[in-house]
Amino acid sequence: MVRTVNGAWLIRGRDGRLSAYAPRDEAVWCWAQRTPGGSWIAPRTVGGDQRLHPVLAVGQGTDGYAHLVAWRPTGPQEAGLVHTTHFRPHLAALDWNRLGHPNKAGAQTGVPAVAVDAEGRAHVFVPNAGGGVSMRGQKERGGWGPWRDLKGREVEGELAAVTRLSGRVELYATSPAGILRWTQAGPGHIPALDDEPLKASARPGTLRALATSEEHVTVFFTDESDTLCAWRPGTEPVALLPCAGPGPVSAIRFTLDGVDCTLLAQRSRSGRAAFAAYPTEQESAGAWWTESGPQLPPDTQVSLSKDHQGDLVAATLQPDKGTGGELLMTRRKAEPGLALEAWRPIVPKNA
């Protein structure tokens, strides 16, 4: 069975410690640093003993808290969504909170996505049985609002949820008509579907959205010619470079040699992790892939983050390795350019 993680699963908590999340053995597991930049404790499950399907969405608010969303089995051929909040890497996450089903009952309808607004409220999105998207959001004073049908037609692949630097939440999805976008008119508003989709041939399952300035979100996707494209709403898509491999890229902004850059990472067709960087929102400057690390299984995912000192770190988590998994990490060398240190397996120690 395919294990899917939607969102950046390697994250830095508010205290600077890194955590990694992945579905494993009918649960969600967390790997966490003992101290910022230090060793790692043995992975453990989060959210209690709830049995889960191997699909996970990860989101993070400006408060550093991790929001996790998964499907749980509720009966023969039926499932429901659950949510938990993880406040600190070394503290137990809250028990899974049941969110129900966007169509009241039925089987899984797709991979969920989660984004967290400026007030720390999680917004959970998921395709529904009608081919559109449904959302359930946390209320300002606690609890959850109802499931809301956000419309949309013939949605395909995984959704891409993002929080703008203003704190407003946006959602993107692929369909035969093009890329669909939902935006909030203001804090706490229900995201509304744009009147017209972007008429681009985006391959389902390749969307990734990143807040790249106060004004813009940049959406990355692969088109039918295997080209990785960048699009900011209000402009035309730009062909950036040939994609390194299938699936979505991981993307992050960081300062490289004093320049605000966007770094992309993707498992390449050769099986290694590939990286490309360019000045943020300046796609015309060009970018090219540089491969790094060992060969990885086909469904290995790459995630990017910053450590407690703001330095770039990258991780790959190999599937089907049992409860411990195999978490490999690298970081940028302390020298000009984008040179990376040797990839090293994380060898957890008992707490």
Side-chain angles (χ1 to χ4, degrees):
M1 184 178 294
V2 175
R3 290 176 168 85
T4 301
V5 183
N6 191 356
W9 50 264
L10 176 69
I11 64 176
R12 180 182 64 184
R14 63 190 303 171
D15 60 1
R17 288 180 290 189
L18 294 171
S19 300
Y21 300 90
R24 284 285 189 277
D25 296 336
E26 299 185 338
V28 170
W29 289 76
C30 174
W31 292 251
Q33 285 183 318
R34 179 177 282 105
T35 57
S39 61
W40 292 67
I41 61 173
R44 58 182 178 177
T45 59
V46 299
D49 298 328
Q50 173 68 61
R51 180 186 167 210
L52 302 173
H53 289 298
V55 174
L56 175 67
V58 183
Q60 187 180 29
T62 56
D63 53 16
Y65 301 156
H67 289 259
L68 312 175
V69 178
W71 284 101
R72 71 180 185 99
T74 58
Q77 306 302 314
E78 293 194 348
L81 286 164
V82 289
H83 165 273
T84 186
T85 307
H86 203 181
F87 298 102
R88 299 285 194 283
H90 283 233
L91 294 179
L94 298 178
D95 288 344
W96 291 105
N97 179 53
R98 297 179 183 182
L99 299 182
H101 193 283
N103 300 104
K104 296 186 178 179
Q108 298 179 61
T109 55
V111 178
V114 58
V116 186
D117 67 15
E119 289 73 34
R121 297 173 296 204
H123 295 64
V124 176
F125 304 93
V126 67
N128 57 43
V133 172
S134 293
M135 185 207 82
R136 195 170 184 190
Q138 287 181 315
K139 296 179 180 179
E140 183 176 2
R141 300 185 181 277
W144 291 79
W147 278 107
R148 302 179 186 274
D149 185 352
L150 302 185
K151 309 303 180 184
R153 296 179 59 187
E154 300 181 278
V155 167
E156 302 173 326
E158 296 163 22
L159 310 173
V162 65
T163 304
R164 300 181 70 105
L165 297 186
S166 66
R168 298 184 188 181
V169 168
E170 294 189 1
L171 181 74
Y172 297 83
T174 55
S175 78
I179 298 178
L180 309 178
R181 180 178 76 143
W182 290 261
T183 61
Q184 288 182 309
H189 287 226
I190 305 304
L193 178 64
D194 285 0
D195 292 334
E196 295 291 334
L198 172 70
K199 291 179 169 51
S201 57
R203 288 188 173 173
T206 65
L207 290 184
R208 181 57 58 95
L210 178 70
T212 49
S213 65
E214 291 286 348
E215 300 82 15
H216 299 131
V217 166
T218 300
V219 180
F220 299 97
F221 65 92
T222 301
D223 68 12
E224 294 301 323
S225 66
D226 279 341
T227 299
L228 182 64
C229 301
W231 169 56
R232 281 179 289 282
T235 67
E236 291 297 315
V238 175
L240 186 57
L241 76 170
C243 65
V249 296
S250 182
I252 193 173
R253 285 176 66 193
F254 79 109
T255 301
L256 176 62
D257 300 336
V259 178
D260 176 7
C261 288
T262 295
L263 175 68
L264 307 173
Q266 191 175 38
R267 181 191 176 276
S268 71
R269 291 183 180 84
S270 73
R272 305 175 71 199
F275 298 86
Y278 68 95
T280 297
E281 297 190 355
Q282 297 181 39
E283 286 80 13
S284 60
W288 55 92
W289 295 111
T290 300
E291 296 192 3
S292 176
Q295 288 196 334
L296 304 164
D299 46 357
T300 298
Q301 294 181 283
V302 185
S303 195
L304 303 170
S305 188
K306 299 176 186 178
D307 67 8
H308 62 294
Q309 296 178 325
D311 294 330
L312 176 72
V313 290
T316 64
L317 189 58
Q318 298 186 28
D320 300 322
K321 293 288 184 179
T323 57
E326 185 171 11
L327 183 65
L328 301 178
M329 290 197 65
T330 186
R331 65 180 58 248
R332 180 174 168 247
K333 291 182 178 178
E335 61 183 49
L338 191 55
L340 299 174
E341 295 181 354
W343 289 79
R344 296 181 177 88
I346 297 300
V347 182
K349 300 177 181 179
N350 292 328

